[in-house]
Amino acid sequence: MPALNRVLQIAPDAVTLLRILCFCDPENIPISIMKQGCDALSQEDEWVIPTESTANARRAVIDLFRSPVRLSKAIQAIQRLSLAVYTLEGSERTVRVHDLVHLLLRSKLIAAAERDQWLKIVICIICKAFKEIGDHRSPRNWSRCSQFISHIEFMGALAANYGLYDATLLDANIWAAKYFKACGLYRKAASMHKQTWDRRKAVLGEEDPDTLISMFNLASTYMSQGRWKEAEELQVQVMETRKRVLGEEHLDALINMSNLSSTYWNQGRWKEAEELAVQVMETLKRVLGEEHPNTLTSMNNLAFTLKSQGRNEEAILLMNRCLELRKQVLGPKHLHTLTCMNNLAFILKSQSRNEEAFSLVNRCLELQKQVLGPKHPDTLTSMNNLAFTLKSQGRNEEAISLMNRCLELRKQVLGPKHPDTLISMNNLAFILESQGRNKEAISLMNRCCELQKQVLGPKHPDTLTSMSNLACTLKSQNRNEEAILLMKRCLELREQVLGPRHPHTEGSLELLHEWQDREEEP
């Protein structure tokens, strides 16, 4: 490769740059990522440098990326010899290396004995920059996060191929999974968490705290996917291990028990959910006190479990108590306080206490606009809930207008295929159907169903909810044969996913029998 030989002879900075680039995904490598990572790395002393060779290589990379003049000359050198393409897209400068050149660079520029050393340096630089983003779940950071993902995945594949275990890279996997989950890309999040768990389990062992965190994260993602049984299996394993290793009253064991309670709740196993939720709340009261934030979270969760069993007055009393304590402890405008306010409004609405619910959710929405901003995902959740409360008051035109606004904002902020966006689409269709605007409702429900099948999968609980709603709307239009066929399919899938005794499954079965009986009437 003559061009590479010329670089080796005359441009040491270009060689350093190429050594870094050959461990990144060759497509669109943002220079800003490298600069940010080197800046962060140069300001700390905690990075372990095992050899003088590694120290020299690290210093060469940091010095190069912190010198605009040297970096510019290095880029010009590799571009002039057609080893890479340098582009300016808006304010972002990127480098692209051809796939074949990329492969040759790794084999020609890096001696086998130095391969792991250089990969570790690149991992450290990119992961430092990725960490600097801060909240990987916030929509305002998604665009920046997306620039890192292909590089983290590429480095992960190389590390696995080389048999290299790198804790920093696995931390970055977790941040990437949080980003994926926030975007509603649950399958990618689960895949990233699964890789991290497998790697930690193989190197650290099944009972290592980091391995258990990875299992916990994977179980939480399975919950988002509606994979309740798989989530339960992992949660039980983590809970038992943490109880044995840390003790039954350790906070990590109790948090895991609380998540398992939520999984039972989602499966319609409300008695088991309640037993665990009560145990968690009482233990936290004794260990941390009634006013501790973790105790208040457990109180909130128990209130929902009570509501699911039709014990609405107990649920309202408990949620009211939780709200008052959160106001005292965290403040009236704290995120958790506002979430509790929203939850209380939801329970009140289910009891047809619509005026109280409307007043509370409206107040919550105004506070969230002040504290979080009008387009924050939590603000949009309250807007969605307020639209439903308006519908329950018979204020249908206002409800439709507000749900439309919520849907458009969720498309802007979260994206047109985000699970929360699709929930708003389904909700809007439901309100339209109640207004007799069936043609619009069916069109919207069909679109929602198809998108949920693509994004969440055909068996996800949200997809099945939309399928059930669509069947009911078809039935209201006297399209009985289509409605019965669709509800049959929904019932079959709910039996597979949720089990025959889940309330949603039983609801589908009851509707189906009712419709079939009417069809048989003379």
Side-chain angles (χ1 to χ4, degrees):
M1 196 173 181
L4 181 56
N5 292 333
R6 290 176 61 190
V7 170
L8 289 170
Q9 293 169 11
I10 63 171
D13 280 347
V15 173
T16 299
L17 178 59
L18 288 171
R19 282 175 171 157
I20 292 295
L21 297 180
C22 70
F23 287 106
C24 301
D25 177 38
E27 294 288 337
N28 298 324
I29 305 164
I31 296 300
S32 63
I33 286 179
M34 301 301 176
K35 286 175 63 63
Q36 187 179 8
C38 287
D39 286 343
L41 197 58
S42 67
Q43 294 168 14
E44 61 176 47
D45 300 320
E46 64 185 52
W47 199 66
V48 178
I49 305 174
T51 65
E52 185 179 350
S53 170
T54 300
N56 291 337
R58 177 197 182 202
R59 175 49 53 194
V61 173
I62 290 174
D63 288 348
L64 172 61
F65 279 95
R66 298 192 77 195
S67 170
V69 174
R70 288 173 58 187
L71 179 60
S72 179
K73 288 182 178 178
I75 291 171
Q76 288 172 15
I78 62 174
Q79 189 175 25
R80 188 166 54 247
L81 296 170
S82 301
L83 295 174
V85 177
Y86 175 74
T87 59
L88 182 64
E89 297 178 8
S91 60
E92 187 67 78
R93 295 182 297 166
T94 63
V95 176
R96 183 191 179 281
V97 184
H98 189 278
D99 289 351
L100 182 57
V101 173
H102 196 250
L103 182 62
L104 287 170
L105 288 175
R106 240 183 355 267
S107 62
K108 298 291 184 181
L109 274 181
I110 313 287
E114 296 179 334
R115 184 189 61 195
D116 289 1
Q117 164 192 298
W118 277 96
L119 177 54
K120 275 180 166 287
I121 290 172
V122 178
I123 287 171
C124 197
I125 290 169
I126 290 179
C127 293
K128 285 292 178 188
F130 194 38
K131 184 179 181 181
E132 291 285 306
I133 288 175
D135 186 359
H136 301 88
R137 290 171 291 197
S138 172
R140 69 175 180 271
N141 294 328
W142 289 354
S143 177
R144 184 62 171 163
C145 284
S146 67
Q147 295 180 308
F148 287 82
I149 297 302
S150 65
H151 304 294
I152 290 167
E153 290 175 335
F154 186 84
M155 293 186 301
L158 286 179
N161 190 41
Y162 297 163
L164 174 68
Y165 177 86
D166 190 278
T168 303
L169 181 58
L170 295 183
D171 285 341
N173 279 358
I174 293 172
W175 304 329
K178 287 180 179 179
Y179 156 72
F180 282 136
K181 189 176 178 184
C183 291
L185 301 171
Y186 299 140
R187 278 174 279 197
K188 288 188 176 182
S191 175
M192 196 67 85
H193 280 313
K194 180 70 163 58
Q195 289 173 33
T196 306
W197 175 39
D198 287 342
R199 208 71 190 96
R200 283 177 167 172
K201 184 169 55 173
V203 175
L204 304 176
E206 291 192 359
E207 296 190 356
D208 184 87
D210 286 344
T211 305
L212 294 177
I213 288 171
S214 292
M215 288 178 71
F216 180 90
N217 291 338
L218 180 58
S220 296
T221 307
Y222 283 162
M223 288 174 69
S224 298
Q225 291 181 288
R227 297 163 65 177
W228 311 122
K229 282 293 179 187
E230 292 164 278
E232 180 187 344
E233 288 172 9
L234 286 178
Q235 286 167 339
V236 168
Q237 190 177 339
V238 174
M239 181 179 71
E240 294 304 326
T241 303
R242 282 177 165 168
K243 279 183 179 179
R244 187 176 67 255
V245 175
L246 303 173
E248 292 199 2
E249 295 189 350
H250 191 280
L251 182 58
D252 287 349
L254 293 171
I255 289 172
N256 199 86
M257 195 181 295
S258 181
N259 272 23
L260 180 58
S261 173
S262 296
T263 301
Y264 287 155
W265 182 86
N266 279 299
Q267 291 177 326
R269 294 159 62 182
W270 292 328
K271 274 295 177 188
E272 293 168 271
E274 182 190 350
E275 287 172 11
L276 273 184
V278 169
Q279 186 181 342
V280 170
M281 187 180 75
E282 294 303 327
T283 304
L284 287 171
K285 278 183 181 179
R286 187 175 66 255
V287 175
L288 300 176
E290 187 184 29
E291 297 183 356
H292 191 278
N294 288 112
T295 307
L296 298 179
T297 297
S298 70
M299 197 179 289
N300 177 90
N301 295 345
L302 177 57
F304 262 113
T305 304
L306 292 170
K307 178 208 167 289
S308 299
Q309 297 178 77
R311 294 158 63 183
N312 295 310
E313 289 304 324
E314 293 173 80
I316 289 169
L317 283 173
L318 192 59
M319 193 67 83
N320 253 320
R321 176 65 177 157
C322 180
L323 177 58
E324 291 309 311
L325 287 172
R326 277 181 165 168
K327 284 179 181 177
Q328 292 173 30
V329 176
L330 304 173
K333 295 183 179 182
H334 190 278
L335 177 61
H336 291 172
T337 306
L338 298 178
T339 298
C340 196
M341 190 183 294
N342 214 339
N343 292 343
L344 177 57
F346 176 77
I347 298 174
L348 288 167
K349 177 184 166 296
S350 70
Q351 277 238 285
S352 299
R353 292 166 63 174
N354 295 322
E355 290 298 329
E356 294 169 85
F358 174 79
S359 176
L360 204 55
V361 76
N362 198 40
R363 174 67 178 149
C364 180
L365 179 58
E366 291 308 313
L367 288 171
Q368 285 173 324
K369 285 179 180 178
Q370 291 174 29
V371 176
L372 302 172
K375 295 184 179 182
H376 189 278
D378 288 351
T379 307
L380 300 181
T381 296
S382 291
M383 188 181 292
N384 178 91
N385 294 347
L386 181 59
F388 257 119
T389 307
L390 287 167
K391 177 197 171 295
S392 64
Q393 290 183 303
R395 296 161 65 178
N396 295 314
E397 289 305 323
E398 293 173 83
I400 290 170
S401 176
L402 191 61
M403 192 64 82
N404 253 320
R405 176 67 177 151
C406 180
L407 176 58
E408 290 309 311
L409 287 172
R410 277 181 161 169
K411 284 179 181 178
Q412 289 175 29
V413 176
L414 304 174
K417 295 183 179 182
H418 190 279
D420 288 353
T421 306
L422 300 181
I423 285 173
S424 284
M425 187 183 292
N426 186 49
N427 291 344
L428 176 59
F430 179 77
I431 299 173
L432 289 169
E433 190 268 338
S434 69
Q435 277 278 86
R437 295 165 64 174
N438 294 322
K439 189 173 181 180
E440 294 169 82
I442 288 174
S443 174
L444 207 54
M445 284 179 185
N446 265 319
R447 176 68 178 148
C448 182
C449 256
E450 290 308 312
L451 288 172
Q452 285 174 324
K453 284 176 186 177
Q454 291 173 28
V455 176
L456 301 172
K459 295 182 180 182
H460 191 279
D462 286 357
T463 308
L464 300 182
T465 296
S466 294
M467 189 183 293
S468 176
N469 290 348
L470 177 56
C472 290
T473 305
L474 289 169
K475 183 72 177 69
S476 70
Q477 284 207 295
N478 295 318
R479 295 165 64 175
N480 297 331
E481 189 175 339
E482 294 172 82
I484 288 171
L485 282 173
L486 192 59
M487 189 59 81
K488 275 184 178 178
R489 179 60 179 153
C490 181
L491 175 61
E492 289 169 5
L493 291 172
R494 278 180 163 167
E495 285 176 339
Q496 290 175 30
V497 176
L498 303 175
R501 294 185 179 179
H502 192 281
H504 291 173
T505 309
E506 291 177 344
S508 291
L509 181 62
E510 186 178 339
L511 276 176
L512 184 60
H513 283 167
E514 181 186 327
W515 294 352
Q516 288 173 328
D517 288 345
R518 287 182 184 176
E519 284 292 289
E520 292 172 3
E521 289 177 2

